Amino acid sequence: MTYMLRDLPDGQVEITISRPLADRFVAFLKHEEPELIEEEPAGFGTAQADAAEAETLNLGEIVTETPKPKRRRKAVTNLPAVIDQPTPTAFLPVLRPVLTELQLDEAFARLGGGEKLASVAISFGVPMAQLRGYWAAHCRQVQRHIAEAGKQPCSLCQTPFVPSISHPDSCARCNHG
């Protein structure tokens, strides 16, 4: 059995009692019950008894662990050469082509006719994401314009509904049922 003192960062000292595993194993092999500490919550009385027991021992002979020295990193020799003066990188602004109202109307007519977004974008020389944004804004504007008229009676069931771009004459129930 060994005792070890450890200084804690908050200024307290912790006493650690170590019982070698070999002694426990020998006791197990001899079918003797090893000396076990009863598991109970530590209290002030237990702490006083442990401190009194520690005072009776000669703790001056106990060697405290010294911290291991930190290892230095080895210099890496296979790194690429370092240039003293790096060349400045200039980022050129990306100029997106702007479509005129006539070009947008033509593009929207082609998209409304069922043509693929990618092929229309290539023919006008704009990125597909940019044309997708134009198309989405156009669809929202048309939907808003259609919805401003208010509710209309469904052509099939006569239920009032707000018309949409895809189904301007019939309600959602009649379209999906």
Side-chain angles (χ1 to χ4, degrees):
M1 182 176 356
T2 59
Y3 292 90
M4 182 174 43
L5 297 175
R6 185 171 75 170
D7 292 326
L8 298 176
D10 60 354
Q12 296 181 0
V13 177
E14 179 182 45
I15 301 172
T16 306
I17 301 172
S18 300
R19 297 197 172 135
L21 184 61
D23 291 344
R24 292 182 188 175
F25 189 68
V26 169
F28 174 76
L29 290 176
K30 291 181 179 179
H31 298 290
E32 296 175 3
E33 286 193 31
E35 179 185 331
L36 298 176
I37 299 174
E38 293 179 21
E39 293 185 14
E40 61 181 86
F44 187 73
T46 307
Q48 278 186 329
D50 290 344
E53 181 184 344
E55 286 178 4
T56 60
L57 299 173
N58 187 6
L59 296 179
E61 295 176 3
I62 298 176
V63 178
T64 59
E65 291 183 11
T66 57
K68 294 180 180 178
K70 292 184 180 180
R71 298 175 73 185
R72 291 186 182 178
R73 292 186 179 202
K74 294 181 181 179
V76 181
T77 57
N78 295 334
L79 289 177
V82 178
I83 301 172
D84 290 337
Q85 297 177 357
T87 14
T89 306
F91 293 104
L92 299 175
V94 177
L95 299 176
R96 304 238 181 234
V98 178
L99 297 178
T100 64
E101 289 298 320
L102 292 174
Q103 289 175 323
L104 285 174
D105 290 340
E106 183 184 345
F108 296 154
R110 288 171 61 183
L111 290 170
E115 200 170 331
K116 296 284 184 183
L117 188 71
S119 63
V120 175
I122 290 171
S123 66
F124 284 101
V126 295
M128 192 173 81
Q130 182 178 358
L131 185 60
R132 185 186 308 129
Y134 285 147
W135 177 243
H138 173 72
C139 290
R140 282 191 301 270
Q141 182 181 7
V142 169
Q143 178 63 40
R144 195 175 303 121
H145 178 68
I146 291 173
E148 284 176 355
K151 293 186 176 186
Q152 303 290 329
C154 175
S155 62
L156 299 175
C157 68
Q158 301 303 320
T159 304
F161 76 102
V162 177
S164 67
I165 296 172
S166 58
H167 301 288
D169 297 328
S170 56
C171 67
R173 181 179 294 152
C174 293
N175 286 325
H176 293 106

Short mmCIF file of all heavy atoms in Angstrom, two decimals, residues 20-89:
data_model
loop_
_atom_site.label_atom_id
_atom_site.label_comp_id
_atom_site.label_asym_id
_atom_site.label_seq_id
_atom_site.Cartn_x
_atom_site.Cartn_y
_atom_site.Cartn_z
N PRO A 20 -1.55 -2.31 -4.41
CA PRO A 20 -1.09 -3.01 -5.60
C PRO A 20 -2.04 -4.13 -6.02
O PRO A 20 -2.60 -4.85 -5.19
CB PRO A 20 0.27 -3.58 -5.22
CG PRO A 20 0.64 -2.90 -3.96
CD PRO A 20 -0.59 -2.38 -3.33
N LEU A 21 -2.19 -4.29 -7.29
CA LEU A 21 -3.05 -5.32 -7.84
C LEU A 21 -2.48 -6.71 -7.55
O LEU A 21 -3.22 -7.66 -7.34
CB LEU A 21 -3.21 -5.10 -9.34
CG LEU A 21 -4.16 -6.02 -10.07
CD1 LEU A 21 -5.56 -5.88 -9.52
CD2 LEU A 21 -4.13 -5.76 -11.55
N ALA A 22 -1.17 -6.79 -7.52
CA ALA A 22 -0.54 -8.09 -7.27
C ALA A 22 -0.94 -8.64 -5.91
O ALA A 22 -1.22 -9.84 -5.77
CB ALA A 22 0.97 -7.97 -7.38
N ASP A 23 -0.99 -7.77 -4.89
CA ASP A 23 -1.40 -8.23 -3.55
C ASP A 23 -2.84 -8.73 -3.56
O ASP A 23 -3.16 -9.75 -2.95
CB ASP A 23 -1.26 -7.10 -2.53
CG ASP A 23 0.19 -6.73 -2.27
OD1 ASP A 23 1.08 -7.54 -2.64
OD2 ASP A 23 0.42 -5.65 -1.70
N ARG A 24 -3.71 -8.04 -4.26
CA ARG A 24 -5.10 -8.48 -4.35
C ARG A 24 -5.18 -9.82 -5.07
O ARG A 24 -5.96 -10.69 -4.70
CB ARG A 24 -5.93 -7.45 -5.10
CG ARG A 24 -6.10 -6.15 -4.37
CD ARG A 24 -6.97 -5.23 -5.17
NE ARG A 24 -7.01 -3.90 -4.57
CZ ARG A 24 -7.61 -2.87 -5.10
NH1 ARG A 24 -8.23 -3.01 -6.25
NH2 ARG A 24 -7.60 -1.70 -4.51
N PHE A 25 -4.40 -9.98 -6.11
CA PHE A 25 -4.43 -11.21 -6.89
C PHE A 25 -3.92 -12.39 -6.06
O PHE A 25 -4.50 -13.48 -6.09
CB PHE A 25 -3.61 -11.04 -8.16
CG PHE A 25 -3.75 -12.16 -9.13
CD1 PHE A 25 -4.94 -12.39 -9.80
CD2 PHE A 25 -2.70 -13.03 -9.35
CE1 PHE A 25 -5.08 -13.43 -10.67
CE2 PHE A 25 -2.82 -14.08 -10.23
CZ PHE A 25 -4.01 -14.29 -10.90
N VAL A 26 -2.84 -12.16 -5.29
CA VAL A 26 -2.32 -13.23 -4.43
C VAL A 26 -3.36 -13.61 -3.38
O VAL A 26 -3.58 -14.79 -3.11
CB VAL A 26 -0.99 -12.78 -3.77
CG1 VAL A 26 -0.57 -13.75 -2.67
CG2 VAL A 26 0.10 -12.66 -4.81
N ALA A 27 -4.02 -12.63 -2.82
CA ALA A 27 -5.06 -12.92 -1.83
C ALA A 27 -6.20 -13.70 -2.46
O ALA A 27 -6.76 -14.62 -1.86
CB ALA A 27 -5.58 -11.62 -1.22
N PHE A 28 -6.55 -13.37 -3.71
CA PHE A 28 -7.60 -14.09 -4.42
C PHE A 28 -7.18 -15.54 -4.65
O PHE A 28 -7.98 -16.46 -4.48
CB PHE A 28 -7.90 -13.39 -5.74
CG PHE A 28 -8.86 -14.14 -6.61
CD1 PHE A 28 -10.22 -14.16 -6.32
CD2 PHE A 28 -8.41 -14.84 -7.72
CE1 PHE A 28 -11.10 -14.84 -7.12
CE2 PHE A 28 -9.29 -15.54 -8.52
CZ PHE A 28 -10.65 -15.54 -8.22
N LEU A 29 -5.92 -15.74 -5.04
CA LEU A 29 -5.45 -17.10 -5.29
C LEU A 29 -5.42 -17.94 -4.02
O LEU A 29 -5.60 -19.15 -4.05
CB LEU A 29 -4.07 -17.08 -5.95
CG LEU A 29 -4.05 -16.57 -7.40
CD1 LEU A 29 -2.62 -16.51 -7.90
CD2 LEU A 29 -4.89 -17.46 -8.29
N LYS A 30 -5.18 -17.29 -2.90
CA LYS A 30 -5.15 -18.01 -1.63
C LYS A 30 -6.54 -18.15 -1.03
O LYS A 30 -6.69 -18.62 0.08
CB LYS A 30 -4.25 -17.25 -0.62
CG LYS A 30 -2.79 -17.29 -0.98
CD LYS A 30 -2.00 -16.56 0.08
CE LYS A 30 -0.53 -16.60 -0.21
NZ LYS A 30 0.24 -15.88 0.81
N HIS A 31 -7.55 -17.74 -1.77
CA HIS A 31 -8.94 -17.79 -1.34
C HIS A 31 -9.17 -16.98 -0.08
O HIS A 31 -10.02 -17.32 0.74
CB HIS A 31 -9.41 -19.24 -1.12
CG HIS A 31 -9.36 -20.06 -2.35
ND1 HIS A 31 -10.21 -19.87 -3.41
CD2 HIS A 31 -8.53 -21.07 -2.72
CE1 HIS A 31 -9.93 -20.73 -4.35
NE2 HIS A 31 -8.91 -21.48 -3.97
N GLU A 32 -8.42 -15.97 0.06
CA GLU A 32 -8.65 -15.08 1.18
C GLU A 32 -9.42 -13.88 0.65
O GLU A 32 -9.30 -13.50 -0.50
CB GLU A 32 -7.31 -14.58 1.76
CG GLU A 32 -6.47 -15.67 2.35
CD GLU A 32 -5.12 -15.13 2.81
OE1 GLU A 32 -4.90 -13.91 2.70
OE2 GLU A 32 -4.31 -15.92 3.26
N GLU A 33 -10.20 -13.30 1.49
CA GLU A 33 -10.90 -12.10 1.06
C GLU A 33 -9.94 -10.93 1.14
O GLU A 33 -9.31 -10.71 2.17
CB GLU A 33 -12.10 -11.83 1.97
CG GLU A 33 -13.25 -12.77 1.71
CD GLU A 33 -14.50 -12.28 2.40
OE1 GLU A 33 -14.68 -11.06 2.56
OE2 GLU A 33 -15.30 -13.14 2.78
N PRO A 34 -9.82 -10.20 0.05
CA PRO A 34 -8.93 -9.03 0.09
C PRO A 34 -9.54 -7.94 0.96
O PRO A 34 -10.74 -7.90 1.17
CB PRO A 34 -8.84 -8.59 -1.37
CG PRO A 34 -10.08 -9.12 -2.00
CD PRO A 34 -10.44 -10.36 -1.24
N GLU A 35 -8.67 -7.10 1.45
CA GLU A 35 -9.11 -6.01 2.29
C GLU A 35 -9.77 -4.95 1.40
O GLU A 35 -9.14 -4.36 0.53
CB GLU A 35 -7.91 -5.39 3.02
CG GLU A 35 -8.26 -4.23 3.91
CD GLU A 35 -7.02 -3.60 4.51
OE1 GLU A 35 -6.02 -4.33 4.70
OE2 GLU A 35 -7.05 -2.40 4.75
N LEU A 36 -11.06 -4.78 1.55
CA LEU A 36 -11.79 -3.83 0.72
C LEU A 36 -12.26 -2.67 1.57
O LEU A 36 -12.62 -2.83 2.73
CB LEU A 36 -12.99 -4.52 0.06
CG LEU A 36 -12.69 -5.67 -0.89
CD1 LEU A 36 -13.99 -6.30 -1.36
CD2 LEU A 36 -11.88 -5.17 -2.07
N ILE A 37 -12.28 -1.54 0.96
CA ILE A 37 -12.79 -0.36 1.63
C ILE A 37 -14.29 -0.31 1.40
O ILE A 37 -14.76 -0.51 0.28
CB ILE A 37 -12.13 0.92 1.08
CG1 ILE A 37 -10.62 0.86 1.30
CG2 ILE A 37 -12.72 2.16 1.69
CD1 ILE A 37 -9.88 2.01 0.66
N GLU A 38 -15.03 -0.09 2.47
CA GLU A 38 -16.48 -0.02 2.33
C GLU A 38 -16.83 1.22 1.52
O GLU A 38 -16.28 2.30 1.74
CB GLU A 38 -17.13 0.07 3.71
CG GLU A 38 -16.96 -1.18 4.54
CD GLU A 38 -17.60 -1.03 5.90
OE1 GLU A 38 -18.49 -0.15 6.05
OE2 GLU A 38 -17.23 -1.77 6.81
N GLU A 39 -17.74 1.02 0.60
CA GLU A 39 -18.15 2.15 -0.22
C GLU A 39 -19.22 2.93 0.51
O GLU A 39 -20.34 2.46 0.70
CB GLU A 39 -18.67 1.66 -1.58
CG GLU A 39 -17.60 1.03 -2.42
CD GLU A 39 -18.11 0.67 -3.79
OE1 GLU A 39 -19.19 1.13 -4.20
OE2 GLU A 39 -17.42 -0.09 -4.47
N GLU A 40 -18.85 4.12 0.93
CA GLU A 40 -19.78 5.00 1.60
C GLU A 40 -19.38 6.43 1.23
O GLU A 40 -18.22 6.69 0.89
CB GLU A 40 -19.73 4.81 3.11
CG GLU A 40 -18.36 5.11 3.72
CD GLU A 40 -18.34 4.88 5.21
OE1 GLU A 40 -18.10 3.73 5.62
OE2 GLU A 40 -18.57 5.85 5.94
N PRO A 41 -20.31 7.31 1.24
CA PRO A 41 -19.96 8.68 0.87
C PRO A 41 -19.00 9.28 1.90
O PRO A 41 -19.12 9.03 3.10
CB PRO A 41 -21.30 9.42 0.86
CG PRO A 41 -22.26 8.53 1.57
CD PRO A 41 -21.72 7.15 1.52
N ALA A 42 -18.03 10.01 1.37
CA ALA A 42 -17.04 10.63 2.25
C ALA A 42 -17.70 11.76 3.03
O ALA A 42 -18.48 12.53 2.49
CB ALA A 42 -15.87 11.16 1.44
N GLY A 43 -17.38 11.84 4.28
CA GLY A 43 -17.91 12.90 5.13
C GLY A 43 -16.78 13.58 5.86
O GLY A 43 -15.60 13.24 5.72
N PHE A 44 -17.12 14.55 6.68
CA PHE A 44 -16.10 15.30 7.41
C PHE A 44 -15.38 14.39 8.40
O PHE A 44 -14.17 14.46 8.56
CB PHE A 44 -16.74 16.48 8.13
CG PHE A 44 -15.74 17.39 8.78
CD1 PHE A 44 -14.96 18.23 8.00
CD2 PHE A 44 -15.55 17.39 10.14
CE1 PHE A 44 -14.04 19.05 8.58
CE2 PHE A 44 -14.61 18.21 10.74
CZ PHE A 44 -13.86 19.05 9.95
N GLY A 45 -16.11 13.48 9.04
CA GLY A 45 -15.49 12.56 10.01
C GLY A 45 -14.51 11.63 9.33
O GLY A 45 -13.42 11.34 9.86
N THR A 46 -14.86 11.13 8.15
CA THR A 46 -13.97 10.24 7.40
C THR A 46 -12.71 11.00 7.01
O THR A 46 -11.59 10.47 7.08
CB THR A 46 -14.68 9.72 6.14
OG1 THR A 46 -15.92 9.16 6.51
CG2 THR A 46 -13.84 8.69 5.42
N ALA A 47 -12.87 12.24 6.58
CA ALA A 47 -11.72 13.05 6.18
C ALA A 47 -10.80 13.29 7.37
O ALA A 47 -9.56 13.24 7.24
CB ALA A 47 -12.18 14.37 5.58
N GLN A 48 -11.37 13.54 8.55
CA GLN A 48 -10.54 13.75 9.73
C GLN A 48 -9.79 12.48 10.09
O GLN A 48 -8.62 12.52 10.44
CB GLN A 48 -11.39 14.18 10.92
CG GLN A 48 -11.71 15.66 10.94
CD GLN A 48 -12.44 16.05 12.22
OE1 GLN A 48 -13.18 15.25 12.79
NE2 GLN A 48 -12.24 17.29 12.64
N ALA A 49 -10.45 11.34 10.00
CA ALA A 49 -9.80 10.06 10.32
C ALA A 49 -8.67 9.78 9.32
O ALA A 49 -7.58 9.33 9.71
CB ALA A 49 -10.82 8.93 10.31
N ASP A 50 -8.91 10.05 8.05
CA ASP A 50 -7.87 9.85 7.04
C ASP A 50 -6.70 10.79 7.27
O ASP A 50 -5.53 10.39 7.12
CB ASP A 50 -8.44 10.06 5.64
CG ASP A 50 -9.39 8.95 5.23
OD1 ASP A 50 -9.37 7.88 5.89
OD2 ASP A 50 -10.15 9.15 4.25
N ALA A 51 -6.98 12.02 7.65
CA ALA A 51 -5.90 12.97 7.91
C ALA A 51 -5.09 12.55 9.13
O ALA A 51 -3.86 12.66 9.14
CB ALA A 51 -6.48 14.38 8.10
N ALA A 52 -5.78 12.05 10.16
CA ALA A 52 -5.07 11.60 11.37
C ALA A 52 -4.20 10.40 11.04
O ALA A 52 -3.05 10.29 11.50
CB ALA A 52 -6.07 11.25 12.47
N GLU A 53 -4.70 9.48 10.20
CA GLU A 53 -3.92 8.32 9.80
C GLU A 53 -2.71 8.75 8.97
O GLU A 53 -1.61 8.21 9.14
CB GLU A 53 -4.78 7.35 8.98
CG GLU A 53 -4.05 6.10 8.54
CD GLU A 53 -4.92 5.21 7.65
OE1 GLU A 53 -6.15 5.41 7.63
OE2 GLU A 53 -4.35 4.33 6.99
N ALA A 54 -2.88 9.75 8.12
CA ALA A 54 -1.79 10.22 7.29
C ALA A 54 -0.71 10.91 8.12
O ALA A 54 0.48 10.84 7.80
CB ALA A 54 -2.31 11.19 6.22
N GLU A 55 -1.11 11.56 9.24
CA GLU A 55 -0.13 12.22 10.10
C GLU A 55 0.74 11.20 10.82
O GLU A 55 1.90 11.47 11.12
CB GLU A 55 -0.84 13.12 11.12
CG GLU A 55 -1.39 14.39 10.52
CD GLU A 55 -2.12 15.24 11.54
OE1 GLU A 55 -2.15 14.89 12.73
OE2 GLU A 55 -2.67 16.27 11.12
N THR A 56 0.19 10.04 11.11
CA THR A 56 0.97 9.03 11.81
C THR A 56 2.01 8.40 10.89
O THR A 56 3.03 7.89 11.35
CB THR A 56 0.07 7.91 12.36
OG1 THR A 56 -0.62 7.29 11.29
CG2 THR A 56 -0.91 8.47 13.37
N LEU A 57 1.78 8.43 9.59
CA LEU A 57 2.74 7.87 8.64
C LEU A 57 3.85 8.87 8.39
O LEU A 57 3.68 10.07 8.54
CB LEU A 57 2.04 7.53 7.31
CG LEU A 57 0.91 6.50 7.39
CD1 LEU A 57 0.23 6.40 6.05
CD2 LEU A 57 1.48 5.15 7.78
N ASN A 58 4.96 8.38 7.99
CA ASN A 58 6.09 9.25 7.66
C ASN A 58 5.96 9.61 6.18
O ASN A 58 6.47 8.92 5.31
CB ASN A 58 7.42 8.54 7.95
CG ASN A 58 8.59 9.48 7.78
OD1 ASN A 58 8.41 10.67 7.56
ND2 ASN A 58 9.79 8.95 7.91
N LEU A 59 5.30 10.71 5.91
CA LEU A 59 5.04 11.10 4.53
C LEU A 59 6.24 11.80 3.90
O LEU A 59 6.22 12.06 2.71
CB LEU A 59 3.81 12.01 4.45
CG LEU A 59 2.49 11.35 4.87
CD1 LEU A 59 1.36 12.35 4.77
CD2 LEU A 59 2.20 10.14 4.02
N GLY A 60 7.26 12.10 4.67
CA GLY A 60 8.45 12.73 4.11
C GLY A 60 9.19 11.81 3.17
O GLY A 60 9.93 12.25 2.30
N GLU A 61 9.02 10.50 3.35
CA GLU A 61 9.72 9.54 2.50
C GLU A 61 8.99 9.29 1.18
O GLU A 61 9.54 8.72 0.26
CB GLU A 61 9.87 8.21 3.25
CG GLU A 61 10.74 8.30 4.49
CD GLU A 61 10.76 6.99 5.23
OE1 GLU A 61 10.15 6.02 4.75
OE2 GLU A 61 11.39 6.95 6.31
N ILE A 62 7.74 9.72 1.10
CA ILE A 62 6.97 9.50 -0.12
C ILE A 62 7.46 10.47 -1.19
O ILE A 62 7.59 11.68 -0.97
CB ILE A 62 5.48 9.71 0.13
CG1 ILE A 62 4.98 8.69 1.15
CG2 ILE A 62 4.70 9.61 -1.17
CD1 ILE A 62 3.55 8.89 1.54
N VAL A 63 7.76 9.92 -2.33
CA VAL A 63 8.26 10.74 -3.43
C VAL A 63 7.07 11.13 -4.29
O VAL A 63 6.30 10.28 -4.74
CB VAL A 63 9.28 9.94 -4.28
CG1 VAL A 63 9.77 10.76 -5.45
CG2 VAL A 63 10.43 9.48 -3.40
N THR A 64 6.94 12.42 -4.50
CA THR A 64 5.85 12.88 -5.37
C THR A 64 6.27 12.76 -6.82
O THR A 64 7.46 12.81 -7.15
CB THR A 64 5.49 14.35 -5.07
OG1 THR A 64 6.65 15.15 -5.29
CG2 THR A 64 5.02 14.52 -3.64
N GLU A 65 5.29 12.58 -7.67
CA GLU A 65 5.60 12.45 -9.09
C GLU A 65 6.02 13.80 -9.65
O GLU A 65 5.44 14.82 -9.33
CB GLU A 65 4.36 11.96 -9.86
CG GLU A 65 3.97 10.55 -9.55
CD GLU A 65 2.79 10.11 -10.40
OE1 GLU A 65 2.43 10.84 -11.35
OE2 GLU A 65 2.24 9.06 -10.12
N THR A 66 7.05 13.77 -10.44
CA THR A 66 7.47 15.00 -11.10
C THR A 66 6.86 15.00 -12.49
O THR A 66 6.75 13.95 -13.13
CB THR A 66 9.01 15.07 -11.22
OG1 THR A 66 9.47 13.91 -11.92
CG2 THR A 66 9.65 15.11 -9.85
N PRO A 67 6.43 16.15 -12.95
CA PRO A 67 5.82 16.19 -14.29
C PRO A 67 6.84 15.84 -15.36
O PRO A 67 8.02 16.19 -15.25
CB PRO A 67 5.32 17.63 -14.44
CG PRO A 67 6.08 18.41 -13.43
CD PRO A 67 6.46 17.46 -12.33
N LYS A 68 6.38 15.13 -16.36
CA LYS A 68 7.27 14.75 -17.44
C LYS A 68 7.59 15.98 -18.28
O LYS A 68 6.73 16.83 -18.49
CB LYS A 68 6.60 13.70 -18.32
CG LYS A 68 6.36 12.40 -17.62
CD LYS A 68 5.70 11.40 -18.54
CE LYS A 68 5.45 10.09 -17.82
NZ LYS A 68 4.78 9.12 -18.68
N PRO A 69 8.84 16.06 -18.72
CA PRO A 69 9.17 17.23 -19.55
C PRO A 69 8.43 17.15 -20.87
O PRO A 69 8.18 16.08 -21.41
CB PRO A 69 10.69 17.10 -19.75
CG PRO A 69 10.99 15.67 -19.50
CD PRO A 69 9.97 15.18 -18.53
N LYS A 70 8.08 18.32 -21.37
CA LYS A 70 7.37 18.36 -22.65
C LYS A 70 8.33 18.01 -23.77
O LYS A 70 9.49 18.43 -23.77
CB LYS A 70 6.79 19.75 -22.89
CG LYS A 70 5.67 20.08 -21.93
CD LYS A 70 5.07 21.40 -22.25
CE LYS A 70 3.95 21.74 -21.28
NZ LYS A 70 3.35 23.02 -21.57
N ARG A 71 7.82 17.24 -24.71
CA ARG A 71 8.65 16.83 -25.84
C ARG A 71 8.69 17.95 -26.86
O ARG A 71 7.70 18.59 -27.14
CB ARG A 71 8.08 15.57 -26.48
CG ARG A 71 8.07 14.40 -25.52
CD ARG A 71 7.41 13.23 -26.12
NE ARG A 71 8.31 12.66 -27.14
CZ ARG A 71 7.98 11.67 -27.94
NH1 ARG A 71 6.79 11.17 -27.88
NH2 ARG A 71 8.84 11.20 -28.82
N ARG A 72 9.85 18.16 -27.37
CA ARG A 72 9.99 19.14 -28.43
C ARG A 72 9.58 18.50 -29.74
O ARG A 72 9.82 17.33 -29.98
CB ARG A 72 11.44 19.63 -28.55
CG ARG A 72 11.88 20.45 -27.38
CD ARG A 72 13.25 20.98 -27.65
NE ARG A 72 13.74 21.75 -26.52
CZ ARG A 72 14.92 22.29 -26.47
NH1 ARG A 72 15.76 22.14 -27.48
NH2 ARG A 72 15.29 22.98 -25.42
N ARG A 73 8.99 19.30 -30.57
CA ARG A 73 8.64 18.78 -31.88
C ARG A 73 9.87 18.72 -32.75
O ARG A 73 10.71 19.61 -32.73
CB ARG A 73 7.61 19.69 -32.55
CG ARG A 73 6.27 19.65 -31.86
CD ARG A 73 5.29 20.44 -32.64
NE ARG A 73 4.00 20.36 -31.98
CZ ARG A 73 2.86 20.58 -32.59
NH1 ARG A 73 2.85 20.90 -33.85
NH2 ARG A 73 1.74 20.49 -31.94
N LYS A 74 9.92 17.66 -33.50
CA LYS A 74 11.05 17.52 -34.41
C LYS A 74 10.85 18.44 -35.60
O LYS A 74 9.73 18.64 -36.06
CB LYS A 74 11.16 16.07 -34.89
CG LYS A 74 11.50 15.11 -33.78
CD LYS A 74 11.62 13.71 -34.31
CE LYS A 74 11.95 12.73 -33.19
NZ LYS A 74 12.05 11.36 -33.68
N ALA A 75 11.93 18.97 -36.08
CA ALA A 75 11.85 19.84 -37.24
C ALA A 75 11.51 19.00 -38.46
O ALA A 75 12.08 17.95 -38.69
CB ALA A 75 13.18 20.55 -37.46
N VAL A 76 10.54 19.47 -39.22
CA VAL A 76 10.12 18.77 -40.42
C VAL A 76 11.01 19.24 -41.55
O VAL A 76 11.14 20.43 -41.81
CB VAL A 76 8.64 19.05 -40.73
CG1 VAL A 76 8.21 18.30 -41.96
CG2 VAL A 76 7.79 18.66 -39.54
N THR A 77 11.65 18.30 -42.21
CA THR A 77 12.62 18.68 -43.23
C THR A 77 12.08 18.59 -44.65
O THR A 77 12.68 19.12 -45.56
CB THR A 77 13.86 17.77 -43.13
OG1 THR A 77 13.43 16.41 -43.25
CG2 THR A 77 14.56 17.97 -41.81
N ASN A 78 10.96 17.92 -44.85
CA ASN A 78 10.47 17.72 -46.20
C ASN A 78 9.38 18.71 -46.59
O ASN A 78 8.48 18.39 -47.33
CB ASN A 78 9.93 16.30 -46.35
CG ASN A 78 11.02 15.27 -46.22
OD1 ASN A 78 12.17 15.57 -46.49
ND2 ASN A 78 10.67 14.08 -45.79
N LEU A 79 9.43 19.90 -46.05
CA LEU A 79 8.45 20.91 -46.40
C LEU A 79 8.82 21.58 -47.72
O LEU A 79 10.00 21.65 -48.07
CB LEU A 79 8.36 21.98 -45.31
CG LEU A 79 7.72 21.54 -44.01
CD1 LEU A 79 7.75 22.67 -43.01
CD2 LEU A 79 6.28 21.11 -44.25
N PRO A 80 7.85 22.11 -48.44
CA PRO A 80 8.19 22.84 -49.67
C PRO A 80 8.91 24.14 -49.34
O PRO A 80 8.84 24.65 -48.22
CB PRO A 80 6.83 23.11 -50.31
CG PRO A 80 5.84 22.95 -49.23
CD PRO A 80 6.43 22.01 -48.23
N ALA A 81 9.59 24.67 -50.30
CA ALA A 81 10.35 25.91 -50.10
C ALA A 81 9.39 27.05 -49.79
O ALA A 81 8.29 27.13 -50.30
CB ALA A 81 11.15 26.23 -51.36
N VAL A 82 9.83 27.94 -48.91
CA VAL A 82 9.03 29.09 -48.52
C VAL A 82 9.55 30.30 -49.27
O VAL A 82 10.74 30.61 -49.23
CB VAL A 82 9.12 29.33 -46.99
CG1 VAL A 82 8.33 30.55 -46.60
CG2 VAL A 82 8.65 28.11 -46.25
N ILE A 83 8.65 30.99 -49.95
CA ILE A 83 9.03 32.20 -50.68
C ILE A 83 8.90 33.37 -49.73
O ILE A 83 7.89 33.52 -49.04
CB ILE A 83 8.12 32.38 -51.91
CG1 ILE A 83 8.24 31.17 -52.82
CG2 ILE A 83 8.44 33.66 -52.65
CD1 ILE A 83 7.25 31.16 -53.95
N ASP A 84 9.93 34.21 -49.69
CA ASP A 84 9.92 35.32 -48.75
C ASP A 84 8.82 36.33 -49.06
O ASP A 84 8.16 36.81 -48.16
CB ASP A 84 11.29 36.02 -48.76
CG ASP A 84 12.36 35.15 -48.13
OD1 ASP A 84 12.00 34.27 -47.34
OD2 ASP A 84 13.55 35.36 -48.44
N GLN A 85 8.64 36.68 -50.33
CA GLN A 85 7.64 37.67 -50.69
C GLN A 85 6.56 37.00 -51.54
O GLN A 85 6.76 36.79 -52.73
CB GLN A 85 8.28 38.82 -51.46
CG GLN A 85 9.30 39.58 -50.65
CD GLN A 85 9.96 40.67 -51.46
OE1 GLN A 85 9.69 40.81 -52.65
NE2 GLN A 85 10.82 41.44 -50.84
N PRO A 86 5.44 36.66 -50.92
CA PRO A 86 4.39 36.03 -51.71
C PRO A 86 3.76 37.01 -52.70
O PRO A 86 3.67 38.21 -52.43
CB PRO A 86 3.36 35.58 -50.67
CG PRO A 86 3.59 36.48 -49.51
CD PRO A 86 5.04 36.84 -49.53
N THR A 87 3.39 36.50 -53.82
CA THR A 87 2.77 37.35 -54.83
C THR A 87 1.33 37.64 -54.41
O THR A 87 0.61 36.74 -54.01
CB THR A 87 2.74 36.63 -56.20
OG1 THR A 87 3.02 35.28 -56.02
CG2 THR A 87 3.65 37.24 -57.18
N PRO A 88 0.93 38.89 -54.51
CA PRO A 88 -0.45 39.21 -54.13
C PRO A 88 -1.44 38.60 -55.13
O PRO A 88 -1.19 38.57 -56.32
CB PRO A 88 -0.50 40.73 -54.16
CG PRO A 88 0.62 41.14 -55.05
CD PRO A 88 1.66 40.07 -54.93
N THR A 89 -2.52 38.12 -54.60
CA THR A 89 -3.55 37.52 -55.44
C THR A 89 -4.64 38.55 -55.67
O THR A 89 -5.15 39.13 -54.72
CB THR A 89 -4.15 36.29 -54.74
OG1 THR A 89 -3.09 35.41 -54.40
CG2 THR A 89 -5.13 35.59 -55.63
#
